[in-house]
Amino acid sequence: MFQYSARPDLLKDRIILVTGAGRGIGEAAAKAYAAHGATVLLLGKTEENLNRVYDEIEAAGGPQPAVIPLNLETALPHQYDELAAMIEREFGRLDGLLHNAGIVGPRTPIQQLSGENFMRVMQVNVNAAFMLTSTLLPLLKLSDGASVVFTSSSVGRKARAYWGAYAVSKFATEGLMQVLADELDGTGNVRSNSVNPGATRTDMRAKAYPGENPQVNPLPAEIMPVYLYLMGPDSGSVNGQALDAQ
């Protein structure tokens, strides 16, 4: 497990957007960021889940979060612009962006993978991350030290058979992170890195590995050290790195 102990006020007064914040790793990250002082913007497609996370953050005494229902599979360019305008109006800047939302798609040989399924995975995992990043970059540059964290995978660093669109999307994610990091290098206050969460006890993992005993994998809350590290000032000089949560 990534070794890091975050001080209680690590993210005090920070504004952090988390995609896929309604469950799994996104939910755990949102709660961890809030517990360390951040105002968390909860973005996801299922408002009911986001509202539950909102209530749990408030009940735990965290800063009041914001709920942003947005389906990244169908979001149009103007919706990203409206999101940026809302964040600027309500918060004035953005200090962190965690790209966590993602879908696995069919695990099947390339020959049997439909174009529709391939494009759907790329839309959620890559295109939406690009659109969010490019649209929100001006707000991130208003921070005194902003962090963009992309969610990768072991199959986005060394491909394996039958991981199809998902593996390709994670290679693209690593590429997007690296291009952004190189563009930002030496220019000031925004950094870009990726995290491979590893095998974690989530619904997505259970769907990808139906025969696996989920109890062998850590809970999302247990892999939070690297997510806190990358989002806080202790990683201020870390840019363009591909880290592992486990």
Side-chain angles (χ1 to χ4, degrees), residues 208-226:
Y209 290 91
E212 181 181 71
N213 174 11
Q215 303 303 318
V216 302
N217 298 324
L219 290 162
E222 296 174 65
I223 65 165
M224 285 300 114
V226 71

PDB file of all heavy atoms in Angstrom, residues 208-226:
ATOM      1  N   ALA A 208     -15.915  -7.126 -13.593  1.00  0.00           N
ATOM      2  CA  ALA A 208     -14.785  -7.524 -14.438  1.00  0.00           C
ATOM      3  C   ALA A 208     -14.239  -8.896 -14.038  1.00  0.00           C
ATOM      4  O   ALA A 208     -13.732  -9.642 -14.864  1.00  0.00           O
ATOM      5  CB  ALA A 208     -13.677  -6.473 -14.357  1.00  0.00           C
ATOM      6  N   TYR A 209     -14.356  -9.229 -12.737  1.00  0.00           N
ATOM      7  CA  TYR A 209     -13.835 -10.504 -12.221  1.00  0.00           C
ATOM      8  C   TYR A 209     -14.936 -11.219 -11.431  1.00  0.00           C
ATOM      9  O   TYR A 209     -14.870 -11.312 -10.204  1.00  0.00           O
ATOM     10  CB  TYR A 209     -12.633 -10.255 -11.298  1.00  0.00           C
ATOM     11  CG  TYR A 209     -11.398  -9.784 -12.010  1.00  0.00           C
ATOM     12  CD1 TYR A 209     -11.149  -8.424 -12.189  1.00  0.00           C
ATOM     13  CD2 TYR A 209     -10.448 -10.688 -12.493  1.00  0.00           C
ATOM     14  CE1 TYR A 209     -10.004  -7.984 -12.832  1.00  0.00           C
ATOM     15  CE2 TYR A 209      -9.304 -10.260 -13.132  1.00  0.00           C
ATOM     16  CZ  TYR A 209      -9.087  -8.901 -13.305  1.00  0.00           C
ATOM     17  OH  TYR A 209      -7.951  -8.459 -13.940  1.00  0.00           O
ATOM     18  N   PRO A 210     -15.951 -11.738 -12.121  1.00  0.00           N
ATOM     19  CA  PRO A 210     -17.087 -12.333 -11.411  1.00  0.00           C
ATOM     20  C   PRO A 210     -16.719 -13.545 -10.557  1.00  0.00           C
ATOM     21  O   PRO A 210     -17.414 -13.855  -9.594  1.00  0.00           O
ATOM     22  CB  PRO A 210     -18.047 -12.725 -12.542  1.00  0.00           C
ATOM     23  CG  PRO A 210     -17.224 -12.754 -13.782  1.00  0.00           C
ATOM     24  CD  PRO A 210     -16.122 -11.771 -13.585  1.00  0.00           C
ATOM     25  N   GLY A 211     -15.607 -14.224 -10.889  1.00  0.00           N
ATOM     26  CA  GLY A 211     -15.230 -15.416 -10.133  1.00  0.00           C
ATOM     27  C   GLY A 211     -14.344 -15.127  -8.934  1.00  0.00           C
ATOM     28  O   GLY A 211     -14.004 -16.032  -8.172  1.00  0.00           O
ATOM     29  N   GLU A 212     -13.970 -13.863  -8.767  1.00  0.00           N
ATOM     30  CA  GLU A 212     -13.036 -13.502  -7.699  1.00  0.00           C
ATOM     31  C   GLU A 212     -13.761 -13.303  -6.365  1.00  0.00           C
ATOM     32  O   GLU A 212     -14.866 -12.775  -6.324  1.00  0.00           O
ATOM     33  CB  GLU A 212     -12.326 -12.194  -8.103  1.00  0.00           C
ATOM     34  CG  GLU A 212     -11.299 -11.689  -7.131  1.00  0.00           C
ATOM     35  CD  GLU A 212     -10.678 -10.382  -7.615  1.00  0.00           C
ATOM     36  OE1 GLU A 212     -11.364  -9.338  -7.596  1.00  0.00           O
ATOM     37  OE2 GLU A 212      -9.507 -10.407  -8.025  1.00  0.00           O
ATOM     38  N   ASN A 213     -13.113 -13.704  -5.281  1.00  0.00           N
ATOM     39  CA  ASN A 213     -13.645 -13.414  -3.955  1.00  0.00           C
ATOM     40  C   ASN A 213     -13.328 -11.953  -3.624  1.00  0.00           C
ATOM     41  O   ASN A 213     -12.163 -11.607  -3.443  1.00  0.00           O
ATOM     42  CB  ASN A 213     -13.007 -14.339  -2.914  1.00  0.00           C
ATOM     43  CG  ASN A 213     -13.412 -13.970  -1.487  1.00  0.00           C
ATOM     44  OD1 ASN A 213     -14.312 -13.165  -1.277  1.00  0.00           O
ATOM     45  ND2 ASN A 213     -12.739 -14.566  -0.516  1.00  0.00           N
ATOM     46  N   PRO A 214     -14.359 -11.084  -3.541  1.00  0.00           N
ATOM     47  CA  PRO A 214     -14.086  -9.659  -3.337  1.00  0.00           C
ATOM     48  C   PRO A 214     -13.391  -9.357  -2.019  1.00  0.00           C
ATOM     49  O   PRO A 214     -12.721  -8.334  -1.880  1.00  0.00           O
ATOM     50  CB  PRO A 214     -15.482  -9.023  -3.384  1.00  0.00           C
ATOM     51  CG  PRO A 214     -16.442 -10.127  -3.118  1.00  0.00           C
ATOM     52  CD  PRO A 214     -15.797 -11.369  -3.631  1.00  0.00           C
ATOM     53  N   GLN A 215     -13.524 -10.270  -1.039  1.00  0.00           N
ATOM     54  CA  GLN A 215     -12.941 -10.017   0.282  1.00  0.00           C
ATOM     55  C   GLN A 215     -11.416  -9.962   0.250  1.00  0.00           C
ATOM     56  O   GLN A 215     -10.792  -9.464   1.192  1.00  0.00           O
ATOM     57  CB  GLN A 215     -13.399 -11.102   1.272  1.00  0.00           C
ATOM     58  CG  GLN A 215     -14.913 -11.239   1.414  1.00  0.00           C
ATOM     59  CD  GLN A 215     -15.596  -9.951   1.834  1.00  0.00           C
ATOM     60  OE1 GLN A 215     -15.110  -9.239   2.692  1.00  0.00           O
ATOM     61  NE2 GLN A 215     -16.721  -9.634   1.210  1.00  0.00           N
ATOM     62  N   VAL A 216     -10.804 -10.467  -0.830  1.00  0.00           N
ATOM     63  CA  VAL A 216      -9.340 -10.447  -0.896  1.00  0.00           C
ATOM     64  C   VAL A 216      -8.815  -9.055  -1.245  1.00  0.00           C
ATOM     65  O   VAL A 216      -7.626  -8.781  -1.090  1.00  0.00           O
ATOM     66  CB  VAL A 216      -8.793 -11.476  -1.922  1.00  0.00           C
ATOM     67  CG1 VAL A 216      -9.259 -12.881  -1.576  1.00  0.00           C
ATOM     68  CG2 VAL A 216      -9.203 -11.108  -3.351  1.00  0.00           C
ATOM     69  N   ASN A 217      -9.692  -8.178  -1.731  1.00  0.00           N
ATOM     70  CA  ASN A 217      -9.273  -6.845  -2.159  1.00  0.00           C
ATOM     71  C   ASN A 217      -9.579  -5.799  -1.088  1.00  0.00           C
ATOM     72  O   ASN A 217     -10.576  -5.905  -0.378  1.00  0.00           O
ATOM     73  CB  ASN A 217     -10.001  -6.464  -3.453  1.00  0.00           C
ATOM     74  CG  ASN A 217      -9.672  -7.407  -4.595  1.00  0.00           C
ATOM     75  OD1 ASN A 217      -8.541  -7.869  -4.696  1.00  0.00           O
ATOM     76  ND2 ASN A 217     -10.649  -7.688  -5.439  1.00  0.00           N
ATOM     77  N   PRO A 218      -8.744  -4.757  -0.982  1.00  0.00           N
ATOM     78  CA  PRO A 218      -9.005  -3.702  -0.003  1.00  0.00           C
ATOM     79  C   PRO A 218     -10.243  -2.886  -0.377  1.00  0.00           C
ATOM     80  O   PRO A 218     -10.606  -2.799  -1.556  1.00  0.00           O
ATOM     81  CB  PRO A 218      -7.749  -2.835  -0.067  1.00  0.00           C
ATOM     82  CG  PRO A 218      -7.184  -3.078  -1.428  1.00  0.00           C
ATOM     83  CD  PRO A 218      -7.522  -4.498  -1.769  1.00  0.00           C
ATOM     84  N   LEU A 219     -10.865  -2.310   0.622  1.00  0.00           N
ATOM     85  CA  LEU A 219     -11.970  -1.378   0.385  1.00  0.00           C
ATOM     86  C   LEU A 219     -11.421  -0.083  -0.205  1.00  0.00           C
ATOM     87  O   LEU A 219     -10.256   0.266   0.023  1.00  0.00           O
ATOM     88  CB  LEU A 219     -12.692  -1.078   1.700  1.00  0.00           C
ATOM     89  CG  LEU A 219     -13.505  -2.226   2.297  1.00  0.00           C
ATOM     90  CD1 LEU A 219     -13.803  -1.963   3.764  1.00  0.00           C
ATOM     91  CD2 LEU A 219     -14.793  -2.423   1.504  1.00  0.00           C
ATOM     92  N   PRO A 220     -12.249   0.659  -0.962  1.00  0.00           N
ATOM     93  CA  PRO A 220     -11.789   1.936  -1.518  1.00  0.00           C
ATOM     94  C   PRO A 220     -11.168   2.869  -0.476  1.00  0.00           C
ATOM     95  O   PRO A 220     -10.157   3.521  -0.746  1.00  0.00           O
ATOM     96  CB  PRO A 220     -13.063   2.532  -2.122  1.00  0.00           C
ATOM     97  CG  PRO A 220     -13.870   1.342  -2.524  1.00  0.00           C
ATOM     98  CD  PRO A 220     -13.602   0.319  -1.451  1.00  0.00           C
ATOM     99  N   ALA A 221     -11.750   2.905   0.715  1.00  0.00           N
ATOM    100  CA  ALA A 221     -11.229   3.802   1.757  1.00  0.00           C
ATOM    101  C   ALA A 221      -9.790   3.460   2.148  1.00  0.00           C
ATOM    102  O   ALA A 221      -9.041   4.339   2.600  1.00  0.00           O
ATOM    103  CB  ALA A 221     -12.127   3.749   2.989  1.00  0.00           C
ATOM    104  N   GLU A 222      -9.396   2.202   1.937  1.00  0.00           N
ATOM    105  CA  GLU A 222      -8.062   1.770   2.355  1.00  0.00           C
ATOM    106  C   GLU A 222      -6.960   2.196   1.381  1.00  0.00           C
ATOM    107  O   GLU A 222      -5.773   2.149   1.729  1.00  0.00           O
ATOM    108  CB  GLU A 222      -8.039   0.253   2.536  1.00  0.00           C
ATOM    109  CG  GLU A 222      -8.949  -0.261   3.659  1.00  0.00           C
ATOM    110  CD  GLU A 222      -8.999  -1.782   3.704  1.00  0.00           C
ATOM    111  OE1 GLU A 222      -7.952  -2.386   3.980  1.00  0.00           O
ATOM    112  OE2 GLU A 222     -10.079  -2.349   3.453  1.00  0.00           O
ATOM    113  N   ILE A 223      -7.331   2.606   0.163  1.00  0.00           N
ATOM    114  CA  ILE A 223      -6.305   2.998  -0.826  1.00  0.00           C
ATOM    115  C   ILE A 223      -6.218   4.522  -0.972  1.00  0.00           C
ATOM    116  O   ILE A 223      -5.617   5.024  -1.920  1.00  0.00           O
ATOM    117  CB  ILE A 223      -6.572   2.350  -2.204  1.00  0.00           C
ATOM    118  CG1 ILE A 223      -7.878   2.866  -2.819  1.00  0.00           C
ATOM    119  CG2 ILE A 223      -6.565   0.825  -2.097  1.00  0.00           C
ATOM    120  CD1 ILE A 223      -8.016   2.541  -4.304  1.00  0.00           C
ATOM    121  N   MET A 224      -6.789   5.250  -0.022  1.00  0.00           N
ATOM    122  CA  MET A 224      -6.842   6.702  -0.128  1.00  0.00           C
ATOM    123  C   MET A 224      -5.523   7.451   0.091  1.00  0.00           C
ATOM    124  O   MET A 224      -5.406   8.599  -0.333  1.00  0.00           O
ATOM    125  CB  MET A 224      -7.912   7.269   0.816  1.00  0.00           C
ATOM    126  CG  MET A 224      -9.336   7.056   0.308  1.00  0.00           C
ATOM    127  SD  MET A 224      -9.609   7.840  -1.308  1.00  0.00           S
ATOM    128  CE  MET A 224      -9.887   6.394  -2.346  1.00  0.00           C
ATOM    129  N   PRO A 225      -4.497   6.856   0.756  1.00  0.00           N
ATOM    130  CA  PRO A 225      -3.274   7.638   0.975  1.00  0.00           C
ATOM    131  C   PRO A 225      -2.717   8.305  -0.284  1.00  0.00           C
ATOM    132  O   PRO A 225      -2.366   9.487  -0.263  1.00  0.00           O
ATOM    133  CB  PRO A 225      -2.305   6.607   1.556  1.00  0.00           C
ATOM    134  CG  PRO A 225      -3.195   5.684   2.335  1.00  0.00           C
ATOM    135  CD  PRO A 225      -4.448   5.568   1.498  1.00  0.00           C
ATOM    136  N   VAL A 226      -2.628   7.572  -1.404  1.00  0.00           N
ATOM    137  CA  VAL A 226      -2.050   8.167  -2.618  1.00  0.00           C
ATOM    138  C   VAL A 226      -2.953   9.267  -3.188  1.00  0.00           C
ATOM    139  O   VAL A 226      -2.473  10.259  -3.731  1.00  0.00           O
ATOM    140  CB  VAL A 226      -1.751   7.073  -3.686  1.00  0.00           C
ATOM    141  CG1 VAL A 226      -3.036   6.508  -4.284  1.00  0.00           C
ATOM    142  CG2 VAL A 226      -0.862   7.633  -4.784  1.00  0.00           C
TER     143      VAL A 226
END
